[in-house]
Amino acid sequence: MTPTDYDYLRKFLKERSGLDLSPDKQYLVESRLLPLARKASLPGIPDLVLKIRNGDGRLATDVVEAMTTNETFFYRDKIPFDHLRETILPGLLRARAARKSLRIWSAASSTGQEPYSIAMCVKEMGAAFAGWRIEIVATDLSQEVLEKSKAGIYSQFEVQRGLPIQHLMKYFTQSGEVWQLNADIRAMVQFRQLNLLQDFSHLGTFDVIFCRNVLIYFDQDTKAVIFERMAKGMEADGTLLLGAAESVVGITDVFRPITERRGLYQLNPARSGRPMGGLMPPSLKIAAAR
């Protein structure tokens, strides 16, 4: 791959997916795109670049999907799901008692382990949410991973990564060497294709947004724009969960961290113009206001 080809791919990927590749990541591009070039019966990456330049839309989509990372597993990082079970969902039960509905968005949901983990957390609360309307919306750029997500079928290796054995036995059915999520859990999640670089106001307003381990690939300006859009699509007392290596600090003040809950954020009332609601326990709200 020539420097010119690499520069073109860097610009192409940033425009199409937000992926911000540094100049020293040529090896990563080669490792992911050489198999794609061979699959397309092309001699190498320069030929692949030429076809994209000439308007091969299908190949362009394949390049974006090959380069966007889809690493995920059930209950990944554990702490965000502890927040969900111990703080967020109990708070929503109180705050939404009158309307009995809540909406949760899993952005960059990859092959479905995150939104299905959210669904199982809700399901574990049993009768507490009886009669409620629960919407879990999962989005990803890749149509390929969305199709896998909808099927809810995972290998033995995939279900062994982060999934408690009691949840495997309770919510999955084994078929040969694979496991499929039961229909009631699959039905709790709506999968939609979405590019975070584009307007997503049509998704509506959410009580909780999981946007974990995806913004690390974007530059600061792009992150700031996405945070602003998410803030507009969040309830005044809603919560945002980011990945362990992600933060709003130094990027935007539209959200502020809850200092006693790592990776958990709320809207900044001074910035959003909306008062903080009663979702979080008082001790955490005081911590957030410091």
Side-chain angles (χ1 to χ4, degrees), residues 147-164:
E147 292 305 318
K148 175 178 171 58
S149 300
K150 291 174 186 177
I153 297 173
Y154 299 95
S155 67
Q156 185 69 39
F157 173 73
E158 288 172 316
V159 298
Q160 287 176 335
R161 299 186 70 199
L163 186 68

Side-chain angles (χ1 to χ4, degrees), residues 93-190:
L93 274 169
R94 297 189 299 270
R96 306 292 186 265
R99 79 182 197 199
K100 291 187 180 296
S101 68
L102 65 90
R103 304 187 77 233
I104 302 173
W105 176 21
S106 169
S109 61
S110 189
T111 47
Q113 284 94 324
E114 179 175 272
Y116 285 138
S117 296
I118 296 168
M120 286 184 281
C121 284
V122 174
K123 196 75 169 178
E124 283 292 291
M125 297 193 69
F129 281 113
W132 281 57
R133 181 185 179 189
I134 312 292
E135 289 185 73
I136 302 172
V137 178
T139 65
D140 199 272
L141 177 64
S142 169
Q143 187 61 47
E144 181 180 352
V145 300
L146 288 171
E147 292 305 318
K148 175 178 171 58
S149 300
K150 291 174 186 177
I153 297 173
Y154 299 95
S155 67
Q156 185 69 39
F157 173 73
E158 288 172 316
V159 298
Q160 287 176 335
R161 299 186 70 199
L163 186 68
I165 185 64
Q166 62 268 32
H167 286 189
L168 176 63
M169 305 311 296
K170 187 175 182 180
Y171 297 119
F172 289 76
T173 301
Q174 188 172 15
S175 177
E177 297 182 354
V178 300
W179 295 79
Q180 183 170 33
L181 266 160
N182 296 339
D184 59 335
I185 299 295
R186 299 200 310 273
M188 293 176 69
V189 183
Q190 307 168 30

Side-chain angles (χ1 to χ4, degrees), residues 2-235:
T2 67
T4 301
D5 290 332
Y6 183 57
D7 286 343
Y8 172 80
L9 287 169
R10 287 180 63 197
K11 293 174 183 176
F12 167 78
L13 288 165
K14 185 172 183 179
E15 290 172 359
R16 289 287 295 266
S17 69
L19 181 61
D20 189 25
L21 291 170
S22 58
D24 62 346
K25 288 294 192 293
Q26 185 168 328
Y27 72 93
L28 177 65
V29 173
E30 290 176 339
S31 67
R32 295 194 181 182
L33 296 190
L34 275 173
L36 181 60
R38 295 190 189 104
K39 183 179 178 182
S41 301
L42 297 171
I45 294 177
D47 306 272
L48 182 147
V49 170
L50 182 59
K51 287 185 74 70
I52 295 174
R53 285 180 180 273
N54 290 336
D56 191 321
R58 178 64 257 179
L59 192 57
T61 299
D62 291 343
V63 166
V64 172
E65 294 198 354
M67 287 305 304
T68 50
T69 302
N70 295 313
E71 167 69 5
T72 187
F73 49 90
F74 289 101
Y75 297 107
R76 183 179 182 181
D77 301 328
K78 186 179 181 295
I79 289 176
F81 297 98
D82 290 342
H83 292 335
L84 185 66
R85 284 187 293 259
E86 298 167 8
T87 302
I88 299 172
L89 289 178
L92 286 168
L93 274 169
R94 297 189 299 270
R96 306 292 186 265
R99 79 182 197 199
K100 291 187 180 296
S101 68
L102 65 90
R103 304 187 77 233
I104 302 173
W105 176 21
S106 169
S109 61
S110 189
T111 47
Q113 284 94 324
E114 179 175 272
Y116 285 138
S117 296
I118 296 168
M120 286 184 281
C121 284
V122 174
K123 196 75 169 178
E124 283 292 291
M125 297 193 69
F129 281 113
W132 281 57
R133 181 185 179 189
I134 312 292
E135 289 185 73
I136 302 172
V137 178
T139 65
D140 199 272
L141 177 64
S142 169
Q143 187 61 47
E144 181 180 352
V145 300
L146 288 171
E147 292 305 318
K148 175 178 171 58
S149 300
K150 291 174 186 177
I153 297 173
Y154 299 95
S155 67
Q156 185 69 39
F157 173 73
E158 288 172 316
V159 298
Q160 287 176 335
R161 299 186 70 199
L163 186 68
I165 185 64
Q166 62 268 32
H167 286 189
L168 176 63
M169 305 311 296
K170 187 175 182 180
Y171 297 119
F172 289 76
T173 301
Q174 188 172 15
S175 177
E177 297 182 354
V178 300
W179 295 79
Q180 183 170 33
L181 266 160
N182 296 339
D184 59 335
I185 299 295
R186 299 200 310 273
M188 293 176 69
V189 183
Q190 307 168 30
F191 289 97
R192 304 181 191 177
Q193 187 174 27
L194 181 77
N195 187 336
L196 287 174
L197 298 183
Q198 299 170 350
D199 176 58
F200 43 76
S201 60
H202 62 282
L203 293 179
T205 304
F206 293 93
D207 302 288
V208 185
I209 297 177
F210 279 70
C211 185
R212 303 191 308 130
N213 308 307
V214 60
L215 296 182
I216 54 174
Y217 302 106
F218 296 171
D219 62 30
Q220 298 291 83
D221 291 341
T222 304
K223 291 177 187 177
V225 170
I226 292 173
F227 283 137
E228 291 283 343
R229 290 176 181 167
M230 285 185 170
K232 292 176 182 177
M234 178 174 283
E235 296 283 0

